[in-house]
Amino acid sequence: MKIAYLGPKGSFSHNVALRALPAAILQDFETITEVIKAFESGQVDGAIVPVENAIEGSVHETLDYLFHQADLEAVAEFMQPIKQQLLVTSLDKPIETIFSHPQAIAQGKAYINAHYPKAKIEVTASTAYAARYVAEHPEQPYAAIAPDSAAVTYGLVTAARDIHELEENFTRFWLLAKTVPLFELPQLGQKLSLALTLPDNLPGALYKAMSVFAWRGIDLTKIESRPLKTVLGEYFFIIDLVYHQPEHVKFALEELASMGIQSKILGKYGVFQMETARND
């Protein structure tokens, strides 16, 4: 099985792929869109993509592409604890420029403001790209915000540990695939993710959409609006729900359709817990 992930080696996506699918052949890509397109085109058998972070919220590139441009579904979700480290090539150099992915920068913003308020911030495609770039320029006063695995992969040392703001910092990752592999991971539950598009001529459309789940006792774990990219003020809604009663969900979707509310399934998946990874 060949799996695409957001690279390079040492990224959180790489760590998830290694732990969830240890026998898979892994191929890294520079952007989330490229990861998904590799699966769409048949270049790989599956794709690992980040979906949501506990601090920074949804990964819009993933969700927007799956809604607007793809006809794919998630078959598994992995909950990865996120530990952000400040990595350098040497502890005896000043830190004047810090590289990382935007979400990692936001997660470590308080620490950076407190300890390196004059440092220049540079955005990279992933935390692992940041670590690799710093490693390639050992003569420069650079640092990267990245995981422990990136430090091991690129030979960096840790200037500061666990600089993220919240201790309970997790990122959700989805596996896009045609079949569901077997995972040697603890399963936390079963979920369904939907994208809903509401009709313009239905008063209280969002309330009515939510009510079809509420009166059936279907628990929602998330609701978020995203621009439809048509005109200003038009949105679609991403809904995550507990998928313990498939028949109830089936009838709820039928009721939505009867009201003219369009639904697109983004994923039907088991939720699996990943362990915190250090120095791997």
Side-chain angles (χ1 to χ4, degrees):
M1 189 176 192
K2 195 171 185 179
I3 299 295
Y5 69 93
L6 179 63
K9 291 181 179 179
S11 67
F12 286 111
S13 296
H14 183 232
N15 181 67
V16 169
L18 282 174
R19 289 170 177 263
L21 299 160
I25 300 170
L26 304 182
Q27 183 172 350
D28 64 292
F29 292 85
E30 291 189 2
T31 68
I32 293 170
T33 297
E34 289 177 0
V35 171
I36 300 174
K37 284 184 174 180
F39 174 51
E40 275 188 300
S41 66
Q43 187 176 346
V44 295
D45 304 304
I48 297 283
V49 290
V51 179
E52 183 180 24
N53 175 259
I55 297 175
E56 284 302 295
S58 293
V59 180
H60 296 150
E61 183 178 355
T62 299
L63 294 173
D64 286 355
Y65 190 93
L66 291 178
F67 175 74
H68 290 287
Q69 298 176 258
D71 187 20
L72 306 172
E73 293 186 18
V75 299
E77 177 175 288
F78 308 106
M79 297 285 291
Q80 171 67 62
I82 301 297
K83 304 293 184 182
Q84 301 285 11
Q85 321 303 340
L86 187 66
L87 307 179
V88 295
T89 56
S90 173
L91 295 176
D92 59 6
K93 292 190 311 184
I95 295 176
E96 298 178 4
T97 305
I98 299 173
F99 298 83
S100 198
H101 185 273
Q103 288 207 336
I105 291 168
Q107 293 161 20
K109 185 177 180 181
Y111 179 90
I112 297 303
N113 288 343
H115 295 86
Y116 300 98
K118 296 182 179 180
K120 182 180 179 182
I121 305 299
E122 293 286 351
V123 171
T124 58
S126 74
T127 54
Y129 275 112
R132 188 174 72 180
Y133 186 81
V134 168
E136 291 172 347
H137 297 83
E139 75 286 354
Q140 298 294 332
Y142 291 165
I145 301 174
D148 282 303
S149 55
V152 174
T153 300
Y154 300 108
L156 299 176
V157 295
T158 304
R161 296 202 65 84
D162 297 347
I163 68 170
H164 44 280
E165 293 183 41
L166 294 181
E167 184 59 32
E168 293 298 314
N169 185 15
F170 290 83
T171 293
R172 299 166 58 201
F173 290 84
W174 279 353
L175 170 64
L176 308 175
K178 294 181 179 179
T179 59
V180 185
L182 294 176
F183 304 108
E184 296 184 4
L185 297 168
Q187 184 168 343
L188 304 179
Q190 193 81 12
K191 288 168 59 179
L192 181 76
S193 292
L194 298 170
L196 304 182
T197 307
L198 309 180
D200 294 332
N201 60 350
L202 180 63
L206 182 57
Y207 169 79
K208 292 175 180 177
M210 297 302 96
S211 69
V212 307
F213 301 107
W215 76 263
R216 289 183 172 88
I218 300 170
D219 291 335
L220 302 184
T221 61
K222 172 182 176 177
I223 177 170
E224 178 184 358
S225 63
R226 291 291 300 147
L228 261 177
K229 299 184 179 180
T230 50
V231 298
L232 185 65
E234 291 190 349
Y235 302 90
F236 70 96
F237 293 85
I238 298 167
I239 308 291
D240 289 350
L241 53 92
V242 177
Y243 193 58
H244 289 164
Q245 301 168 306
E247 283 298 308
H248 289 191
V249 174
K250 175 177 176 291
F251 293 137
L253 297 181
E254 290 175 354
E255 186 176 348
L256 288 175
S258 71
M259 292 188 289
I261 298 173
Q262 299 177 21
S263 62
K264 178 179 182 178
I265 295 178
L266 301 179
K268 190 186 300 178
Y269 48 85
V271 180
F272 298 89
Q273 177 67 61
M274 310 289 290
E275 293 182 359
T276 302
R278 290 197 185 278
N279 299 325
D280 59 349

